[in-house]
Amino acid sequence: MSLPKQVRIVEVGPRDGLQNEKQATPTSAKIQLIENLVDAGLNYIEAGSFVNPKWVPQMADSGEVFSGVARKAGVTYAALTPNLQGYERAIAVGANEVAIFAAASEAFSQKNINCSISESIKRFEALIAAAKQQQIPVRGYISCVLGCPYSGAVDAEMVANIASELFAMGCYEISLGDTIGVGTAGKTKQLIETVARVIPISKIAAHMHDTYGQALANIYAALEMGISVIDSSVAGLGGCPYAVGATGNVATEDVVYLLNGLGIEHGIDLEKLIYAGNTISNILGKPTNSRVARAMSK
């Protein structure tokens, strides 16, 4: 299959990245990060999460972040929402899209959100009904699609079944998350092939973590399969609080460099993106996880 001509990047750093940083990030720094990312040309930013702050204290100020960001027309400012209550809080502060999440592993679902996969999906019914009524798009995440930290290998058919269910409920796109970064290019292709039998390839996104250094190879494999939506995190921020040893998401800078080399359009200014990543890394007092940013910042 030929590579896509254009790729949409879903920037998850302000949410999926920062929620896994050890120290709390100042609200003003989160706002600055989002505005810097928009300035670099990103038009989809996952800006916060309306989960119980007891579980994810780093996201307790998401309301203030949404209220404080200078909005730009044409940009999606999305929020992760686990239930109707979280959805209502997100909409109240102007989130113009929400994301819901299910796991492809029963063990991970229990550890992560204290319920079974089917129970977690049932919880979304009221949320999706409200979103339909208010014409708010809903994106679906499936975590642990290529492996679980507690139960090991994950069945691709299981992932396809969950994807099909979320799609039928009303999620316009399903993001397949290799939460612990154990996937390989071959496994990625097999997974996408299986999921694409039940939902259109144009509705599938790839969300790769780089624990084993395979994220870019897996993204290239996904591109070869016809995937044209990639989730990534500026400066490679984050990990997974429930997956011990899992390093961050793939760095957006590294994905953009890959796409540039393949001649695939994405609309992002790499230098401004590196600036955004280096700025937040400095605030966090740590080096960027982006290889490209390190190489180009010397």
Side-chain angles (χ1 to χ4, degrees):
M1 190 180 279
S2 59
L3 296 168
K5 289 184 170 51
Q6 194 168 18
V7 158
R8 181 164 65 89
I9 290 186
V10 170
E11 174 56 58
V12 300
R15 196 281 300 175
D16 198 22
L18 292 180
Q19 80 169 19
N20 293 303
E21 292 300 322
K22 295 285 182 282
Q23 76 266 47
T25 310
T27 305
S28 58
K30 293 180 180 179
I31 292 168
Q32 181 190 12
L33 172 61
I34 293 164
E35 291 176 357
N36 285 347
L37 290 165
V38 171
D39 187 50
L42 283 145
N43 57 17
Y44 188 112
I45 315 277
E46 202 175 63
S49 170
F50 291 86
V51 298
N52 188 326
K54 188 173 78 177
W55 297 113
V56 188
Q58 295 91 330
M59 291 287 113
D61 62 345
S62 287
E64 291 93 306
V65 171
F66 271 91
S67 300
V69 165
R71 303 293 175 101
K72 185 179 173 185
V75 175
T76 297
Y77 299 88
L80 190 73
T81 54
N83 50 34
L84 183 60
Q85 191 187 1
Y87 168 83
E88 286 169 347
R89 284 169 56 212
I91 299 309
V93 291
N96 49 6
E97 186 165 317
V98 298
I100 60 176
F101 53 94
S105 144
E106 288 291 356
F108 192 83
S109 188
Q110 290 291 352
K111 293 260 187 187
N112 192 355
I113 46 177
N114 307 310
C115 66
S116 70
I117 295 170
S118 60
E119 282 170 341
S120 75
I121 292 172
K122 189 116 188 80
R123 284 180 187 176
F124 299 136
E125 287 175 359
L127 186 162
I128 287 177
K132 278 180 184 164
Q133 207 173 357
Q134 293 175 284
Q135 295 184 309
I136 298 289
V138 181
R139 191 172 193 253
Y141 278 111
I142 307 177
S143 53
C144 294
V145 296
L146 289 162
C148 168
Y150 311 110
S151 56
V154 166
D155 180 18
E157 293 291 346
M158 173 83 134
V159 178
N161 291 342
I162 298 167
S164 173
E165 211 170 333
L166 291 174
F167 189 65
M169 283 176 87
C171 292
Y172 75 90
E173 183 171 274
I174 309 297
S175 176
L176 304 177
D178 183 12
T179 312
I180 56 171
V182 292
T184 58
K187 285 276 194 317
T188 298
K189 284 190 166 182
Q190 284 170 358
L191 174 70
I192 291 166
E193 210 175 297
T194 306
V195 176
R197 288 185 201 132
V198 296
I199 67 171
I201 199 94
S202 61
K203 304 296 184 184
I204 303 172
H207 181 114
M208 298 296 171
H209 284 233
D210 205 31
T211 316
Y212 285 74
Q214 302 299 300
L216 287 177
N218 295 344
I219 286 168
Y220 186 70
L223 294 170
E224 284 190 316
M225 295 296 291
I227 298 291
S228 60
V229 183
I230 304 294
D231 297 3
S232 59
S233 174
V234 69
L237 293 171
C240 174
Y242 304 98
V244 178
T247 52
N249 294 280
V250 66
T252 308
E253 299 93 322
D254 299 3
V255 174
V256 166
Y257 188 81
L258 172 72
L259 297 176
N260 285 349
L262 294 169
I264 295 173
E265 288 172 34
H266 48 72
I268 295 159
D269 181 318
L270 182 54
E271 284 187 11
K272 286 184 174 180
L273 180 64
I274 289 170
Y275 172 77
N278 288 350
T279 302
I280 190 67
S281 297
N282 289 340
I283 290 167
L284 294 171
K286 58 181 232 177
T288 176
N289 286 321
S290 162
R291 300 282 184 85
V292 168
R294 282 186 215 166
M296 291 179 68
S297 302
K298 283 175 180 168

